[in-house]
Amino acid sequence: MFDFAVFGSLFLTLFVIMDPPGITPIFLALTSGRPVKVQRRMAWQAVCVAFGVIAVFGICGQQILDYLHVSVPALMIAGGLLLLLIALDLLTGKTDEPKQTKDVNVALVPLGMPLLAGPGAIVSVILAVQKADGAAGQVSVWAAIIAMHVVLWITMRYSLVIIRVIKDGGVVLVTRLAGMMLSAIAVQQIINGVLQVVQGS
């Protein structure tokens, strides 16, 4: 009733795409200055939002995209543009706290989506669900999805210890580093989307 090959393949794919170690500095930058209790809650909310989005697209993702007449490359480009806006705000450092985090719960945007539940993860899950054979395959796919989100929560939950060590100066450095990393991720995502459009035409 369980296919370890399917589980391992999807788990590793999602690990590379969702990148728990790489999300740590971005999470710290976006949640800095908040009480620890609030940061822990935001880590939990981000994982719940990401899992909710992934689950919805895993169940009926292709139908949603077809109904909206949205292609996967368009989804990738839109997600990349959104991430780029957040990254530029982190890089410029106009305020101590990223502008987006004042008006928007960062657990929803950009952490939950599109950082964690981004186009790459969504497409991977849609394909995995479609290819899974029988009950064993489906159980393995969803077990991999759940396991990946548990890893994400543990990573963000315990990354808060880093803030206590690096203090305010370190937080500023981490914020700039996160902005650079996030901008690179965003640009690469846009490039991948454009390349897919060119190849498909």
Side-chain angles (χ1 to χ4, degrees):
M1 284 296 293
F2 195 85
D3 191 329
F4 285 98
V6 171
F7 173 88
S9 175
L10 181 58
F11 181 84
L12 289 175
T13 300
L14 291 178
F15 190 92
V16 171
I17 293 173
M18 301 176 95
D19 191 16
I23 206 69
T24 298
I26 298 171
F27 172 75
L28 294 177
L30 291 173
T31 61
S32 64
R34 290 183 167 84
V36 174
K37 188 175 181 179
V38 174
Q39 291 175 315
R40 289 174 179 170
R41 186 174 70 244
M42 293 177 77
W44 174 248
Q45 289 175 336
V47 171
C48 289
V49 168
F51 179 77
V53 172
I54 291 292
V56 168
F57 277 93
I59 295 171
C60 51
Q62 193 59 57
Q63 291 86 341
I64 292 174
L65 294 180
D66 291 343
Y67 177 77
L68 296 175
H69 303 290
V70 174
S71 65
V72 172
L75 189 65
M76 296 177 70
I77 294 171
L81 290 173
L82 178 58
L83 289 182
L84 190 58
L85 290 174
I86 306 291
L88 291 175
D89 200 41
L90 290 175
L91 276 171
T92 54
K94 294 178 182 177
T95 59
D96 293 331
E97 184 180 17
K99 185 167 56 180
Q100 283 83 354
T101 67
K102 294 179 179 178
D103 306 318
V104 178
N105 183 354
V106 296
L108 308 179
V109 178
L111 283 174
M113 184 177 181
L115 268 178
L116 297 181
I122 289 173
V123 171
S124 297
V125 168
I126 290 175
L127 293 177
V129 170
Q130 290 177 347
K131 292 179 180 178
D133 294 326
Q138 292 294 334
V139 168
S140 303
V141 165
W142 288 100
I145 293 171
I146 293 171
M148 185 66 248
H149 284 81
V150 170
V151 170
L152 285 168
W153 177 77
I154 291 174
T155 303
M156 290 190 290
R157 167 70 172 75
Y158 290 98
S159 67
L160 298 175
V161 178
I162 299 173
I163 288 183
R164 302 173 200 165
V165 176
I166 63 178
K167 307 297 183 184
D168 291 341
V171 169
V172 174
L173 178 61
V174 167
T175 300
R176 300 297 179 270
L177 175 63
M180 185 173 65
M181 291 172 57
L182 194 56
S183 62
I185 293 171
V187 171
Q188 186 61 56
Q189 194 163 292
I190 294 171
I191 291 173
N192 291 343
V194 171
L195 286 176
Q196 287 194 26
V197 170
V198 173
Q199 291 171 359
S201 61

